[in-house]
């Protein structure tokens, strides 16, 4: 069998002192952190679209990456080579999961029937390779944004014909995800938004989207797919305004349409920052509602205002993310998917390994640090102390719904001015630094 990464051996853990760029310094899959191994905590996944289909092109220049699996005359031969290269990569890197869009793994043909036949063909190959290697599918999704038919959206398209096309495409992608034992199915509304309010009936588009998501639930049940349905918020890009703006917006949408028991959220770092939040903010918003299902790990660039999808290397961000994940006792069926791309100048195959090793080590460090912080309990004690006035007396009555404005006014007339209490932010930041 042809090797696509012949110069690279299986990546091993060598510990924090190793200087080998092709070794893990922190990710030691079988090491236990608390009750679970690192592998079980982190559930790493590689994104098919960036790692195997990315070309490095940008608005100013075409493809630059050297990808030996792209060299084939026939598009299905190319798809097969890409899938084989992907499984060689997953195995050498030692990740337990991967994710795809339908159109990443098999190219579209002239009509849906032929397109579906191509997809089925590649899914059969993926099934065999999953079986041979033990690598599993974290999630499948459908690309309903690249083809010109989706220019005005898929589920929110003003043309019902396009809506029906998107439904047919997602039906097939859900069935393929089920066939491959996928743990989740993701909806990212690539063009579900508007670029101009003058031609947009926003209420209609949102009602349409809800109908779309209801039908997805109905089909999930019909085919017996047991995975979690996930929605991935993003505020803008490609449209000026995406309806799934951020975690809070998606949650209230789900509550408004009675879909809250059917969907969880897949939170992406760079999407949260594009929405003007920190990554940990959106993770927390999803988590406190019991809806943090999975993560797309990456990062933006402070100097660039778009979705740069850089590999995550910021230890603070990884630590804060892992604090939220540990607090909710893991991601359930979800995982940490590197929805990230190497930079245009990092065009050879070795760069793909460096990038993923760095991302995995960052989250492994974040996990170790977050676990220690949690175990020591200092931060949690500080926070619980800060709210202790709601545990007894008048505060307790407030939380139990046993008081009213009149009684609170009486309370203040008797007790007078509250004492100022410091929030100790700098002290807490110093505390976090002492663990990093
Ligand atoms: C786009 C993005 C997508 C989704 C899957 O910004 O994050 O790759 O993760 O469609
Ligand atoms: Co994503």
């Amino acid at each position: 069998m042809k090797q696509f990464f012949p110069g690279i051996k299986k990546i091993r853990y060598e510990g924090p002192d190793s200087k080998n760029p092709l070794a893990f310094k922190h990710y030691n899959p079988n090491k236990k952190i608390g009750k679970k191994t690192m592998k079980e905590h982190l559930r790493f996944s590689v994104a098919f679209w960036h790692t195997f289909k990315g070309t490095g092109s940008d608005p100013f220049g075409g493809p630059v990456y050297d990808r030996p699996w792209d060299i084939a005359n026939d598009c299905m031969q190319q798809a097969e080579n890409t899938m084989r290269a992907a499984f060689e990569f997953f195995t050498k890197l030692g990740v337990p999961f991967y994710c795809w869009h339908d159109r990443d793994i098999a190219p579209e043909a002239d009509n849906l029937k032929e397109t579906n036949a191509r997809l089925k063909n590649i899914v059969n190959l993926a099934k065999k390779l999953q079986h041979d290697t033990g690598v599993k599918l974290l999630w499948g999704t459908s690309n309903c944004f690249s083809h010109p038919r989706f220019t005005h959206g898929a589920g929110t398209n003003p043309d019902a014909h396009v809506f029906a096309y998107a439904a047919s495409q997602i039906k097939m992608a859900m069935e393929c995800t089920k066939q491959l034992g996928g743990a989740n199915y993701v909806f990212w509304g690539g063009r579900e938004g508007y670029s101009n309010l003058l031609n947009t009936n926003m209420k209609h588009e949102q009602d349409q989207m809800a109908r779309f998501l209801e039908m997805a639930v109905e089909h999930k049940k019909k085919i017996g797919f047991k995975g979690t349905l996930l929605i991935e918020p993003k505020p803008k890009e490609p449209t000026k305004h995406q309806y799934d703006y951020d975690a809070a917006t998606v949650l209230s949408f789900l509550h408004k349409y009675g879909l809250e028991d059917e969907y969880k959220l897949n939170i992406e770092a760079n999407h949260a920052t594009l929405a003007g939040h920190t990554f940990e903010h959106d993770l927390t918003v999803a988590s406190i509602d019991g809806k943090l299902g999975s993560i797309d790990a990456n990062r933006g660039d402070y100097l660039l205002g778009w979705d740069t999808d850089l590999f995550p290397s910021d230890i603070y961000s990884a630590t804060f993310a892992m604090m939220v994940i540990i607090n909710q006792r893991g991601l359930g069926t979800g995982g940490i998917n590197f929805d990230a791309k190497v930079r245009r100048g990092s065009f050879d195959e070795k760069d793909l390994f460096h990038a993923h090793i760095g991302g995995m080590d960052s989250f492994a460090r974040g996990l170790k640090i977050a676990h220690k912080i949690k175990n020591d309990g200092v931060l949690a004690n500080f926070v619980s102390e800060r709210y202790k006035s709601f545990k007894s007396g008048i505060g307790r009555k407030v939380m139990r719904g046993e008081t009213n404005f009149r009684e609170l006014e009486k309370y203040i007339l008797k007790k007078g001015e509250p004492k100022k209490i410091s929030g100790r932010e700098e002290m807490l930041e110093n505390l976090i630094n002492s663990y990093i």
Side-chain angles (χ1 to χ4, degrees):
M1 189 59 68
K2 178 179 162 47
Q3 289 238 332
F4 293 94
F5 304 95
I8 302 209
K9 297 200 194 65
K10 174 132 179 68
I11 308 299
R12 312 231 167 251
Y13 170 74
E14 290 185 5
D17 295 332
S18 167
K19 297 280 180 284
N20 177 1
L22 289 172
F24 295 117
K25 321 290 182 298
H26 297 276
Y27 181 59
N28 188 0
N30 297 320
K31 184 181 163 53
K32 279 204 159 169
I33 303 286
K35 291 204 175 74
K36 292 192 281 187
T37 61
M38 282 193 163
K39 185 175 167 186
E40 290 164 338
H41 274 286
L42 297 162
R43 295 170 61 84
F44 286 131
S45 157
V46 170
F48 209 94
W49 51 103
H50 285 310
T51 297
F52 307 106
K53 301 299 288 178
T55 64
S57 60
D58 67 16
F60 303 93
V64 283
Y65 296 164
D66 303 325
R67 301 295 186 238
W69 50 88
D70 275 350
I71 309 161
N73 292 330
D74 172 63
C75 69
M76 283 305 282
Q77 184 59 52
Q78 190 172 319
E80 183 184 327
N81 289 352
T82 310
M83 189 56 81
R84 290 190 188 280
F87 276 82
E88 186 187 332
F89 183 81
F90 306 149
T91 317
K92 287 188 166 168
L93 185 63
V95 277
F97 294 104
Y98 74 116
C99 296
W100 48 244
H101 296 88
D102 45 7
R103 302 302 176 247
D104 305 331
I105 57 172
E108 262 198 79
D110 291 339
N111 57 65
L112 186 65
K113 196 163 170 219
E114 183 53 29
T115 299
N116 284 351
R118 285 180 173 183
L119 183 56
K120 193 100 204 146
N121 204 322
I122 292 292
V123 164
N124 288 337
L125 173 65
K127 183 151 189 167
K128 179 188 173 306
L129 293 170
Q130 285 186 200
H131 178 264
D132 294 348
T133 59
V135 175
K136 298 193 174 88
L137 182 65
L138 184 67
W139 46 264
T141 188
S142 194
N143 179 335
C144 290
F145 44 87
S146 294
H147 193 280
R149 79 174 72 84
F150 297 122
T151 298
H152 303 297
T156 61
N157 198 295
D159 180 359
H161 197 134
V162 181
F163 183 103
Y165 202 106
S168 318
Q169 189 176 325
I170 289 179
K171 172 181 177 289
M172 178 68 179
M174 282 177 88
E175 289 164 11
C176 292
T177 302
K178 185 193 173 222
Q179 193 190 332
L180 293 178
N184 309 271
Y185 186 86
V186 165
F187 293 83
W188 170 60
R191 293 187 191 273
E192 313 295 20
Y194 67 84
S195 71
N196 197 323
L197 270 182
L198 294 176
N199 67 5
T200 304
N201 183 338
M202 194 191 283
K203 175 168 176 2
H204 197 274
E205 293 201 358
Q206 295 197 350
D207 289 350
Q208 275 176 238
M209 197 61 218
R211 288 296 302 132
F212 201 97
L213 294 173
E214 277 165 28
M215 282 189 259
V217 173
E218 192 265 338
H219 195 63
K220 170 191 164 167
K221 291 181 180 160
K222 169 104 184 132
I223 63 175
F225 174 55
K226 297 278 179 284
T228 311
L229 299 180
L230 298 168
I231 296 181
E232 183 177 320
K234 185 173 182 180
K236 56 187 165 192
E237 203 200 272
T239 63
K240 165 158 95 177
H241 179 95
Q242 305 263 138
Y243 295 131
D244 295 338
Y245 197 88
D246 59 3
T249 312
V250 173
L251 289 172
S252 54
F253 176 91
L254 292 174
H255 284 286
K256 173 176 173 191
Y257 289 99
L259 288 164
E260 69 275 16
D261 294 335
E262 308 293 351
Y263 288 87
K264 287 190 170 183
L265 270 52
N266 181 39
I267 299 295
E268 176 160 329
N270 204 169
H271 294 181
T273 50
L274 279 177
H277 306 307
T278 58
F279 183 27
E280 56 271 23
H281 166 93
D282 250 26
L283 292 172
T284 304
V285 171
S287 182
I288 58 175
D289 209 23
K291 293 288 185 286
L292 175 57
S294 201
I295 280 182
D296 270 7
N298 57 20
R299 85 188 141 88
D301 184 315
Y302 291 121
L303 302 181
L304 301 174
W306 65 90
D307 197 13
T308 54
D309 285 348
L310 300 174
F311 270 83
S313 59
D314 181 332
I315 310 296
Y316 284 97
S317 175
T319 300
F320 291 139
M322 289 314 302
M323 283 164 70
V324 181
I325 296 172
I326 287 181
N327 242 341
Q328 65 160 39
R329 297 208 169 77
L331 288 168
T333 59
I336 298 177
N337 173 48
F338 292 106
D339 191 354
K341 59 186 178 213
V342 287
R343 293 157 171 106
R344 183 169 161 84
S346 306
F347 40 71
D348 72 27
E349 298 103 83
K350 223 187 213 183
D351 293 308
L352 291 175
F353 281 92
H354 294 152
H356 285 86
I357 290 168
M360 291 163 81
D361 266 345
S362 299
F363 272 87
R365 272 183 86 178
L367 167 64
K368 289 195 271 187
I369 297 165
H371 179 75
K372 201 155 188 319
I373 293 173
K374 169 122 180 136
N375 257 7
D376 290 356
V378 199
L379 198 62
N381 289 345
F382 180 90
V383 175
S384 99
E385 183 69 11
R386 193 159 180 242
Y387 293 87
K388 78 164 189 267
S389 64
F390 282 93
K391 292 269 181 313
S392 61
I394 196 73
R396 188 166 129 125
K397 285 176 101 179
V398 168
M399 295 316 284
R400 291 178 155 205
E402 291 169 353
T403 184
N404 53 47
F405 276 8
R406 282 146 339 261
E407 190 184 10
L408 292 173
E409 184 190 45
K410 260 195 220 137
Y411 178 86
I412 290 303
L413 290 172
K414 184 163 165 228
K415 298 267 181 182
E417 190 60 28
K419 269 210 292 290
K420 284 193 298 179
I421 306 169
S422 168
R424 301 267 183 257
E425 291 173 65
E426 292 77 6
M427 182 196 85
L428 295 172
E429 284 166 357
N430 297 349
L431 179 79
I432 297 291
N433 273 354
S434 73
Y435 285 86
I436 289 202

